[in-house]
Short mmCIF file of all heavy atoms in Angstrom, two decimals:
data_model
loop_
_atom_site.label_atom_id
_atom_site.label_comp_id
_atom_site.label_asym_id
_atom_site.label_seq_id
_atom_site.Cartn_x
_atom_site.Cartn_y
_atom_site.Cartn_z
N GLU X 1 11.38 -0.20 45.28
CA GLU X 1 10.34 0.80 45.42
C GLU X 1 10.64 2.01 44.52
O GLU X 1 11.81 2.31 44.23
CB GLU X 1 10.23 1.28 46.87
CG GLU X 1 9.72 0.21 47.83
CD GLU X 1 9.51 0.76 49.23
OE1 GLU X 1 9.74 1.97 49.43
OE2 GLU X 1 9.11 -0.01 50.11
N GLU X 2 9.58 2.67 44.09
CA GLU X 2 9.75 3.84 43.23
C GLU X 2 10.46 4.93 44.02
O GLU X 2 10.11 5.22 45.15
CB GLU X 2 8.40 4.35 42.75
CG GLU X 2 8.50 5.52 41.79
CD GLU X 2 7.14 6.00 41.31
OE1 GLU X 2 6.40 6.55 42.14
OE2 GLU X 2 6.83 5.81 40.13
N PRO X 3 11.50 5.56 43.44
CA PRO X 3 12.21 6.63 44.15
C PRO X 3 11.31 7.84 44.38
O PRO X 3 10.24 7.97 43.77
CB PRO X 3 13.37 6.96 43.21
CG PRO X 3 12.94 6.47 41.86
CD PRO X 3 12.07 5.28 42.12
N GLU X 4 11.75 8.72 45.23
CA GLU X 4 10.95 9.90 45.58
C GLU X 4 10.77 10.83 44.40
O GLU X 4 9.71 11.42 44.22
CB GLU X 4 11.62 10.64 46.74
CG GLU X 4 10.81 11.83 47.25
CD GLU X 4 11.45 12.49 48.45
OE1 GLU X 4 12.43 11.94 48.99
OE2 GLU X 4 10.96 13.55 48.87
N THR X 5 11.80 10.98 43.58
CA THR X 5 11.70 11.86 42.40
C THR X 5 12.12 11.08 41.17
O THR X 5 13.21 11.28 40.62
CB THR X 5 12.60 13.10 42.58
OG1 THR X 5 13.94 12.68 42.89
CG2 THR X 5 12.08 14.01 43.69
N PRO X 6 11.26 10.17 40.69
CA PRO X 6 11.62 9.30 39.55
C PRO X 6 11.72 10.06 38.24
O PRO X 6 10.95 10.99 37.98
CB PRO X 6 10.48 8.29 39.53
CG PRO X 6 9.30 9.05 40.09
CD PRO X 6 9.90 9.92 41.16
N ALA X 7 12.65 9.65 37.41
CA ALA X 7 12.77 10.22 36.07
C ALA X 7 11.71 9.62 35.16
O ALA X 7 11.32 8.46 35.33
CB ALA X 7 14.16 9.94 35.50
N PRO X 8 11.21 10.37 34.18
CA PRO X 8 10.27 9.80 33.21
C PRO X 8 10.93 8.69 32.42
O PRO X 8 12.04 8.86 31.91
CB PRO X 8 9.92 11.00 32.32
CG PRO X 8 10.22 12.21 33.14
CD PRO X 8 11.40 11.82 33.98
N VAL X 9 10.24 7.55 32.28
CA VAL X 9 10.79 6.39 31.58
C VAL X 9 9.80 5.97 30.48
O VAL X 9 8.62 5.75 30.74
CB VAL X 9 11.04 5.21 32.54
CG1 VAL X 9 11.53 4.00 31.75
CG2 VAL X 9 12.05 5.60 33.61
N LEU X 10 10.30 5.86 29.26
CA LEU X 10 9.50 5.41 28.12
C LEU X 10 9.78 3.95 27.85
O LEU X 10 10.92 3.58 27.53
CB LEU X 10 9.83 6.26 26.88
CG LEU X 10 9.12 5.83 25.58
CD1 LEU X 10 7.62 6.08 25.70
CD2 LEU X 10 9.70 6.59 24.38
N GLN X 11 8.77 3.11 27.98
CA GLN X 11 8.92 1.69 27.71
C GLN X 11 8.77 1.45 26.21
O GLN X 11 7.82 1.96 25.58
CB GLN X 11 7.87 0.89 28.48
CG GLN X 11 7.97 1.03 29.99
CD GLN X 11 9.26 0.49 30.57
OE1 GLN X 11 9.89 -0.40 29.98
NE2 GLN X 11 9.67 1.00 31.72
N LEU X 12 9.67 0.67 25.62
CA LEU X 12 9.65 0.40 24.18
C LEU X 12 9.02 -0.96 23.89
O LEU X 12 9.29 -1.94 24.58
CB LEU X 12 11.07 0.44 23.62
CG LEU X 12 11.85 1.75 23.85
CD1 LEU X 12 13.22 1.66 23.17
CD2 LEU X 12 11.07 2.95 23.33
N ALA X 13 8.17 -0.98 22.87
CA ALA X 13 7.51 -2.22 22.46
C ALA X 13 8.37 -2.96 21.44
O ALA X 13 9.35 -2.42 20.91
CB ALA X 13 6.13 -1.91 21.88
N ALA X 14 7.99 -4.20 21.16
CA ALA X 14 8.73 -4.99 20.18
C ALA X 14 8.69 -4.32 18.81
O ALA X 14 7.73 -3.61 18.47
CB ALA X 14 8.13 -6.39 20.09
N ALA X 15 9.75 -4.52 18.04
CA ALA X 15 9.86 -3.90 16.72
C ALA X 15 8.75 -4.37 15.81
O ALA X 15 8.31 -5.53 15.87
CB ALA X 15 11.22 -4.21 16.12
N GLU X 16 8.30 -3.47 14.94
CA GLU X 16 7.27 -3.79 13.95
C GLU X 16 7.88 -3.69 12.56
O GLU X 16 8.89 -3.01 12.35
CB GLU X 16 6.09 -2.83 14.07
CG GLU X 16 5.41 -2.88 15.43
CD GLU X 16 4.32 -1.86 15.55
OE1 GLU X 16 4.20 -0.99 14.65
OE2 GLU X 16 3.57 -1.89 16.54
N ASP X 17 7.25 -4.34 11.57
CA ASP X 17 7.75 -4.28 10.20
C ASP X 17 7.77 -2.86 9.69
O ASP X 17 8.70 -2.40 9.05
CB ASP X 17 6.89 -5.16 9.29
CG ASP X 17 7.04 -6.63 9.62
OD1 ASP X 17 8.06 -6.99 10.23
OD2 ASP X 17 6.13 -7.41 9.27
N ASP X 18 6.68 -2.12 9.98
CA ASP X 18 6.60 -0.73 9.53
C ASP X 18 7.66 0.12 10.19
O ASP X 18 8.21 1.04 9.60
CB ASP X 18 5.21 -0.15 9.85
CG ASP X 18 4.13 -0.79 9.00
OD1 ASP X 18 4.48 -1.42 7.98
OD2 ASP X 18 2.94 -0.67 9.36
N ALA X 19 7.95 -0.21 11.47
CA ALA X 19 8.95 0.58 12.18
C ALA X 19 10.32 0.42 11.55
O ALA X 19 11.06 1.37 11.36
CB ALA X 19 9.00 0.14 13.66
N HIS X 20 10.67 -0.84 11.17
CA HIS X 20 11.96 -1.08 10.53
C HIS X 20 12.02 -0.37 9.18
O HIS X 20 13.04 0.16 8.77
CB HIS X 20 12.18 -2.58 10.35
CG HIS X 20 12.57 -3.26 11.62
ND1 HIS X 20 13.76 -3.04 12.24
CD2 HIS X 20 11.90 -4.16 12.39
CE1 HIS X 20 13.83 -3.78 13.35
NE2 HIS X 20 12.70 -4.46 13.47
N GLY X 21 10.89 -0.38 8.49
CA GLY X 21 10.86 0.30 7.19
C GLY X 21 11.10 1.77 7.34
O GLY X 21 11.82 2.39 6.56
N ALA X 22 10.51 2.36 8.40
CA ALA X 22 10.70 3.80 8.60
C ALA X 22 12.14 4.11 8.95
O ALA X 22 12.70 5.11 8.53
CB ALA X 22 9.77 4.30 9.71
N ALA X 23 12.77 3.20 9.73
CA ALA X 23 14.14 3.45 10.14
C ALA X 23 15.10 3.37 8.97
O ALA X 23 16.15 4.00 8.97
CB ALA X 23 14.54 2.43 11.22
N GLY X 24 14.76 2.58 7.94
CA GLY X 24 15.69 2.41 6.83
C GLY X 24 15.25 3.11 5.56
O GLY X 24 15.78 2.82 4.49
N SER X 25 14.25 4.00 5.65
CA SER X 25 13.71 4.65 4.47
C SER X 25 14.53 5.87 4.09
O SER X 25 15.50 6.22 4.73
CB SER X 25 12.26 5.05 4.72
OG SER X 25 12.19 5.98 5.77
N SER X 26 14.08 6.56 3.04
CA SER X 26 14.77 7.75 2.57
C SER X 26 14.49 8.93 3.48
O SER X 26 13.62 8.89 4.33
CB SER X 26 14.29 8.10 1.14
OG SER X 26 12.90 8.41 1.18
N ASP X 27 15.24 10.04 3.25
CA ASP X 27 15.05 11.23 4.08
C ASP X 27 13.66 11.80 3.89
O ASP X 27 13.04 12.28 4.85
CB ASP X 27 16.10 12.30 3.71
CG ASP X 27 17.50 11.86 4.06
OD1 ASP X 27 17.62 10.99 4.95
OD2 ASP X 27 18.46 12.36 3.46
N ALA X 28 13.13 11.75 2.68
CA ALA X 28 11.82 12.32 2.43
C ALA X 28 10.76 11.56 3.20
O ALA X 28 9.86 12.14 3.79
CB ALA X 28 11.50 12.26 0.92
N LYS X 29 10.87 10.23 3.21
CA LYS X 29 9.89 9.43 3.94
C LYS X 29 9.99 9.69 5.43
O LYS X 29 8.98 9.73 6.14
CB LYS X 29 10.13 7.95 3.66
CG LYS X 29 9.08 7.05 4.29
CD LYS X 29 9.29 5.61 3.88
CE LYS X 29 8.24 4.71 4.52
NZ LYS X 29 8.42 3.31 4.14
N ALA X 30 11.19 9.89 5.95
CA ALA X 30 11.36 10.18 7.36
C ALA X 30 10.70 11.50 7.73
O ALA X 30 10.08 11.63 8.78
CB ALA X 30 12.85 10.23 7.71
N GLU X 31 10.83 12.51 6.84
CA GLU X 31 10.21 13.79 7.13
C GLU X 31 8.70 13.66 7.13
O GLU X 31 8.00 14.25 7.95
CB GLU X 31 10.66 14.83 6.09
CG GLU X 31 12.14 15.18 6.21
CD GLU X 31 12.58 16.11 5.09
OE1 GLU X 31 11.73 16.45 4.25
OE2 GLU X 31 13.75 16.50 5.08
N ASP X 32 8.15 12.87 6.19
CA ASP X 32 6.71 12.65 6.16
C ASP X 32 6.23 11.98 7.44
O ASP X 32 5.19 12.31 7.98
CB ASP X 32 6.33 11.78 4.95
CG ASP X 32 6.52 12.52 3.63
OD1 ASP X 32 6.60 13.77 3.68
OD2 ASP X 32 6.59 11.86 2.57
N THR X 33 7.02 11.00 7.92
CA THR X 33 6.66 10.31 9.15
C THR X 33 6.61 11.28 10.32
O THR X 33 5.71 11.25 11.15
CB THR X 33 7.68 9.19 9.44
OG1 THR X 33 7.72 8.31 8.33
CG2 THR X 33 7.30 8.43 10.72
N GLY X 34 7.60 12.17 10.41
CA GLY X 34 7.63 13.14 11.49
C GLY X 34 6.46 14.09 11.41
O GLY X 34 5.85 14.46 12.42
N ALA X 35 6.08 14.51 10.19
CA ALA X 35 4.95 15.42 10.02
C ALA X 35 3.65 14.74 10.44
O ALA X 35 2.81 15.34 11.12
CB ALA X 35 4.86 15.89 8.57
N ASP X 36 3.47 13.47 10.02
CA ASP X 36 2.26 12.74 10.41
C ASP X 36 2.19 12.60 11.92
O ASP X 36 1.12 12.70 12.54
CB ASP X 36 2.24 11.35 9.77
CG ASP X 36 2.05 11.45 8.26
OD1 ASP X 36 1.59 12.50 7.79
OD2 ASP X 36 2.37 10.46 7.55
N ALA X 37 3.34 12.35 12.55
CA ALA X 37 3.36 12.18 14.00
C ALA X 37 2.97 13.47 14.70
O ALA X 37 2.26 13.46 15.71
CB ALA X 37 4.76 11.74 14.46
N GLN X 38 3.41 14.62 14.16
CA GLN X 38 3.06 15.88 14.77
C GLN X 38 1.57 16.15 14.65
O GLN X 38 0.93 16.68 15.56
CB GLN X 38 3.85 17.02 14.13
CG GLN X 38 5.31 17.06 14.59
CD GLN X 38 6.00 18.30 14.09
OE1 GLN X 38 5.96 18.62 12.90
NE2 GLN X 38 6.62 19.01 14.98
N ASN X 39 0.96 15.81 13.49
CA ASN X 39 -0.48 15.98 13.33
C ASN X 39 -1.23 15.11 14.32
O ASN X 39 -2.23 15.53 14.90
CB ASN X 39 -0.89 15.61 11.90
CG ASN X 39 -0.38 16.60 10.87
OD1 ASN X 39 -0.15 17.76 11.21
ND2 ASN X 39 -0.20 16.17 9.64
N THR X 40 -0.74 13.89 14.54
CA THR X 40 -1.36 13.00 15.52
C THR X 40 -1.29 13.63 16.91
O THR X 40 -2.23 13.56 17.69
CB THR X 40 -0.64 11.65 15.54
OG1 THR X 40 -0.73 11.07 14.24
CG2 THR X 40 -1.28 10.71 16.57
N ALA X 41 -0.15 14.25 17.23
CA ALA X 41 0.01 14.88 18.54
C ALA X 41 -0.98 16.01 18.72
O ALA X 41 -1.55 16.19 19.79
CB ALA X 41 1.44 15.40 18.70
N ALA X 42 -1.20 16.80 17.67
CA ALA X 42 -2.12 17.93 17.76
C ALA X 42 -3.54 17.45 18.03
O ALA X 42 -4.23 17.99 18.88
CB ALA X 42 -2.09 18.73 16.47
#
C-alpha cells in the first residue's frame, strides 16, 4: 500500500536513440538541450 507520506518518484522510460546521443554529445550540445528543455517548461 502507498505510505502515508510517499516520496515523489520519477518513472524512467526505455532509452531512446536521441537520448543516448544527448548523453554522449559535446558540452555545447548539452547546453542547447538544457536550454530547449527550459523553454519547453515555460
